[in-house]
Amino acid sequence: MDFSFLWQGLTSITWQQLVMYVIGGILIYLAIEKGFEPALLMPMGFGAILVNLPLSGVINQYNSAIGEEAPGIIQWLFEVGIEASEAMPLLLFIGIGAMIDFGPLLANPKLFLCGAAAQAGIFLTIIIAVLLGFDLKDAASIGIIGAADGPTSLLVSQVLHSNYVGAIAVAAYSYMALVPIIQPFAIKLVTTRSERAMRMSGSFEGVSRRTRILFPILVSVVAGLGAPSSVALGGFLMFGNLIRECGVLKTLSQTAQNELANLITLLLGISISFSMQADKFVQPATFLILGLGLLAFVLDSIVGVLFVKVLNLVTPGNKINPMVGAAGISAFPMSARVIEKLGQEADPQNHLLMHAIAANVSGQIASVVAGGVVLQYFANLG
């Protein structure tokens, strides 16, 4: 039997493809052994290997036997589910919205400000990326990694036709998974142990069902009027939340939180891998983007903490633990858990989880609005 085709395949592998096999293996390792976003990183890692096999059948290839291009399933999923309509990231927002309880935020509206402040890393990173030589649309796409919201990062980079969709997706989702490592480092840079030990008071009861129902509707309208490009992002998020809060669609709410979110996450992960082909991914700019993405996460956390410190100086009443400001990023609920853990390290009786959850869900809204603002401004640039 002639096995020469195997040798031909092996000799066709480039060093860039070998690098992608290693990157794919690392993503799979982080997913399985470390438990970092396994539903997403595992299919991304495995897909990265598949799309970089020589003459891979998962991407479109010219078939000499039939005299035409044979379609590849991963390329088709990417073109239909992401490139053509951004359907997958948007549908995922329905599931995310159905998971979120805005009650703690509605009980303490002051924490809305934390979500807004913690998006500063997006715009600071855009400025830095421009200074480093990226064009405006690529810089905007890189900056949105700081939203700490994978679907938003993917959608914005796709709509803006960034040249670095793959690198941006890997950075956004990988750093979301690494929030428990990144945020403690950033927070400890700008807080003292006594600040981290600061206790907070406040009740999270008393939010009426009517308020919970009206909230997603009003947010969609207000955000849509202020940043029309955020309507798809914010609207689908709030639609998912309305399904949760209306009380008459419990089965659909559970389906959105579980089956829909899990299925879309799985397909999204393997679809993204199409943009991780070696010739586009293995280049110096990719590693610079990974660094900028990390910087965006750190800046978000630091600015959130510093904002709360200033807020405590200028407003009367109950003070906010500065760490809660860092929970204003969109990495829900991982960031809130980080704040709770750090608070208990400083004082075992210090419970900040519900306060951090409130800031964290405000960050979910703010990141979507920030994504809409970026699209509103940069999509029309030449």
Side-chain angles (χ1 to χ4, degrees):
M1 185 176 291
D2 184 10
F3 291 101
S4 61
F5 67 93
L6 289 175
W7 178 248
Q8 183 180 359
L10 285 172
T11 56
S12 298
I13 297 174
T14 66
W15 71 267
Q16 292 96 334
Q17 288 172 326
L18 289 174
V19 170
M20 292 310 302
Y21 300 157
V22 173
I23 291 173
I26 291 172
L27 293 177
I28 293 172
Y29 171 79
L30 292 175
I32 296 174
E33 292 298 322
K34 299 298 183 181
F36 292 160
E37 293 287 332
L40 194 72
L41 293 190
M42 199 280 285
M44 280 176 63
F46 191 66
I49 294 172
L50 294 182
V51 301
N52 285 292
L53 293 172
L55 302 176
S56 174
V58 298
I59 59 178
N60 295 353
Q61 297 285 353
Y62 180 78
N63 189 323
S64 57
I66 62 175
E68 60 184 48
E69 191 172 65
I73 182 61
I74 290 181
Q75 183 166 348
W76 181 84
L77 284 170
F78 181 86
E79 290 174 348
V80 173
I82 298 177
E83 191 173 55
S85 61
E86 291 84 42
M88 287 189 196
L90 291 173
L91 289 173
L92 186 56
F93 270 109
I94 297 176
I96 294 171
M99 296 176 193
I100 295 176
D101 178 6
F102 286 113
L105 178 61
L106 294 171
N108 190 357
K110 187 178 180 181
L111 295 176
F112 266 111
L113 299 173
C114 295
Q119 308 309 308
I122 295 173
F123 302 99
L124 293 173
T125 303
I126 290 174
I127 294 170
I128 295 170
V130 170
L131 293 176
L132 289 174
F134 290 98
D135 69 38
L136 283 173
K137 289 190 176 182
D138 284 331
S141 301
I142 294 166
I144 209 69
I145 295 171
D149 185 336
T152 299
S153 299
L154 181 59
L155 188 143
V156 169
S157 62
Q158 188 62 46
V159 172
L160 294 182
H161 303 293
S162 172
N163 297 308
Y164 307 105
V165 173
I168 289 166
V170 170
Y173 283 109
S174 298
Y175 292 143
M176 279 176 60
L178 294 173
V179 159
I181 297 173
I182 297 170
Q183 277 210 299
F185 164 77
I187 290 169
K188 288 180 179 180
L189 284 177
V190 287
T191 60
T192 63
R193 184 179 181 86
S194 62
E195 287 175 326
R196 296 194 293 274
M198 182 190 298
R199 298 186 183 185
M200 293 179 64
S201 60
S203 172
F204 295 97
E205 305 297 327
V207 179
S208 69
R209 178 168 175 264
R210 178 179 295 177
T211 300
R212 289 174 176 270
I213 292 173
L214 287 175
F215 179 73
I217 298 171
L218 292 175
V219 168
S220 299
V221 172
V222 172
L225 291 174
S229 294
S230 72
V231 169
L233 290 165
F236 275 55
L237 180 74
M238 291 300 150
F239 175 59
N241 188 248
L242 185 59
I243 291 174
R244 173 195 178 98
E245 301 295 353
C246 70
V248 295
L249 296 172
K250 292 183 180 179
T251 302
L252 286 180
S253 176
Q254 289 299 318
T255 300
Q257 294 178 48
N258 296 292
E259 288 82 0
L260 176 65
N262 289 334
L263 180 60
I264 294 298
T265 299
L266 185 69
L267 292 175
L268 186 62
I270 202 161
S271 299
I272 291 170
S273 67
F274 172 71
S275 60
M276 297 171 68
Q277 294 174 65
D279 57 337
K280 300 175 183 176
F281 195 92
V282 182
Q283 50 182 300
T286 295
F287 301 99
L288 186 55
I289 288 166
L290 293 174
L292 287 169
L294 177 60
L295 178 64
F297 269 65
V298 171
L299 288 174
D300 280 342
S301 302
I302 289 175
V303 172
V305 170
L306 296 179
F307 172 78
V308 170
K309 288 187 178 187
V310 173
L311 190 65
N312 285 339
L313 291 175
V314 300
T315 59
N318 294 330
K319 302 299 183 183
I320 301 172
N321 185 305
M323 292 193 300
V324 171
I329 68 172
S330 179
F332 173 82
M334 290 177 289
S335 183
R337 291 172 182 163
V338 168
I339 305 308
E340 170 76 356
K341 182 179 179 181
L342 290 175
Q344 292 200 319
E345 284 179 1
D347 175 1
Q349 302 304 313
N350 190 13
H351 297 286
L352 300 170
L353 183 61
M354 295 307 293
H355 303 282
I357 284 285
N360 212 176
V361 298
S362 77
Q364 188 75 62
I365 298 172
S367 69
V368 168
V369 173
V373 169
V374 169
L375 286 177
Q376 187 80 20
Y377 180 74
F378 290 97
N380 297 322
L381 294 179

